[in-house]
Amino acid sequence: MSGIFWWVIFPYVTLAIMVVGLLYRYAFRQKSWSAPSTEMFEKKWLRIGSPLFHWGIIFAFAGHIMGMVIPKGVYEFLGITDELYHIGAIYGGGLAGLMVIAGLIILLIRKMTIDRIRVHATFSDFFSVFALLIVSGMGTYMTIIYNTTVVSYEYRTTIGPWFRSLFTLQPEYQLMLDVPFIFQAHVIAAFALFASIPFTRLIHFYSAPVTYPVRAPQQYRSRSQYQKKG
């Protein structure tokens, strides 16, 4: 019964919460959809932490598409061996995970130590950062440490097919029963994180901000400049 709950009921419940929450917020709270900029309060650490986090998330998302959505047979057809795939996953995924964690830590310290930013931070802001740290921390541990010191786990034959089966409405929950606990915990935490997104500022993720990493920084000018001119 626990297997059915975690690998059938729980994913659908969290996805339903996410979809309904997104629709509600779009319909009734559109003004809160975007994440307000805090660049006017502090720029130095934002310019380091924000690109690290956002680029890391983009790379990590691409890595998950490659591992979870694309079947193992596609790589075999293309002549990509298991060894070559796992080397790329460890180095590429490990780098992406470290970028996400480093960016989050910088942004968290910035949020906690700079008074003008801290007073504008909400519970959901801190919740989002800590939730992301938990999910990305487990993922980075699995990629860099577990896969190199314990065993290079082949998630493309278990987690990947299970994940894809959710979208065909024929969840193969049996595939997840013998998956190592750290991988199970990572999956559960990730689904819980997605369910929380409509209730946090992470909702701007769904605006597909693909130009964010290369957009020009916002420019702020103090009022004193205009007062002097007047």
Side-chain angles (χ1 to χ4, degrees), residues 93-189:
L95 176 61
L98 291 175
M99 289 174 65
V100 172
I101 292 173
L104 285 171
I105 291 175
I106 291 173
L107 294 176
L108 179 61
I109 293 175
R110 176 178 177 269
K111 194 182 296 290
M112 295 177 66
T113 59
I114 299 177
D115 293 338
R116 290 179 296 176
I117 298 175
R118 188 175 65 251
V119 296
H120 288 88
T122 63
F123 171 79
S124 66
D125 294 334
F126 287 103
F127 171 84
S128 300
V129 175
F130 283 112
L132 284 166
L133 277 173
I134 291 172
V135 175
S136 60
M138 286 192 290
T140 305
Y141 166 80
M142 293 185 306
T143 301
I144 298 178
I145 300 178
Y146 188 94
N147 282 333
T148 59
T149 61
V150 181
V151 64
S152 184
Y153 184 69
E154 185 53 272
Y155 50 82
R156 293 179 297 168
T157 60
T158 54
I159 303 177
W162 164 78
F163 180 76
R164 295 192 296 273
S165 73
L166 293 175
F167 296 93
T168 62
L169 302 181
Q170 296 179 328
E172 302 178 22
Y173 72 92
Q174 299 91 343
L175 293 173
M176 293 295 295
L177 299 181
D178 295 324
V179 170
F181 175 75
I182 185 64
F183 286 83
Q184 293 180 335
H186 178 65
V187 171
I188 292 172

Side-chain angles (χ1 to χ4, degrees), residues 26-87:
Y26 183 80
F28 300 102
R29 299 181 59 195
Q30 283 193 30
K31 291 183 179 180
S32 67
W33 190 280
S34 62
S37 174
T38 58
E39 186 178 350
M40 67 177 68
F41 301 132
E42 193 279 333
K43 297 182 179 181
K44 178 181 177 181
W45 292 109
L46 180 65
R47 289 176 178 174
I48 299 174
S50 185
L52 273 175
F53 168 69
H54 284 90
W55 276 112
I57 283 290
I58 291 173
F59 294 147
F61 181 77
H64 281 72
I65 294 295
M66 294 174 63
M68 302 285 287
V69 178
I70 301 176
K72 185 173 181 288
V74 173
Y75 294 99
E76 295 173 347
F77 176 79
L78 296 175
I80 300 175
T81 64
D82 293 347
E83 181 180 5
L84 181 60
Y85 172 86
H86 285 295
I87 289 175

